[in-house]
């Protein structure tokens, strides 16, 4: 696994985790933490396309994006 892309993916996953730790607050309309987390995960997905990265990393990022998409959908309901 290449160090630079792997480190970048790790950093982006941590950023998304930190944004999601404090789940959306219904009392704060316009709170976009889940959307910012999704953007970080989308960037991680792009970086994870590096052929030197383990395919399991790409699968993990894809699963995380799907989970955030569900969260965003729940917040909008």
């Amino acid at each position: 696994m290449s160090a630079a892309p792997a480190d970048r993916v790790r950093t982006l996953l941590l950023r998304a985790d930190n944004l999601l730790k404090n789940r959306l607050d219904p009392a704060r309309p316009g709170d976009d933490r889940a959307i910012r987390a999704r953007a970080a995960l989308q960037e991680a997905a792009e970086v994870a396309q590096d052929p030197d990265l383990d395919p399991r990393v790409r699968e993990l990022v894809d699963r995380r994006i799907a989970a955030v998409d569900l969260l965003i959908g729940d917040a909008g309901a």
Side-chain angles (χ1 to χ4, degrees), residues 43-73:
E43 185 178 343
E46 292 167 12
V47 175
Q49 295 305 312
D50 186 299
D52 292 336
L53 289 179
D54 188 322
R56 293 176 294 182
V57 173
R58 288 186 282 282
E59 293 168 12
L60 170 68
V61 173
D62 289 342
R63 286 193 308 267
R64 300 285 296 282
I65 289 171
V68 170
D69 286 346
L70 288 173
L71 178 65
I72 291 170

Side-chain angles (χ1 to χ4, degrees), residues 19-59:
L19 286 165
L20 293 171
K21 277 183 185 177
N22 299 313
R23 189 165 174 175
L24 295 176
D25 183 357
R28 292 177 54 194
D31 190 347
D32 66 349
R33 284 178 281 178
I35 294 168
R36 291 187 323 217
R38 172 104 176 35
L41 291 170
Q42 186 59 45
E43 185 178 343
E46 292 167 12
V47 175
Q49 295 305 312
D50 186 299
D52 292 336
L53 289 179
D54 188 322
R56 293 176 294 182
V57 173
R58 288 186 282 282
E59 293 168 12

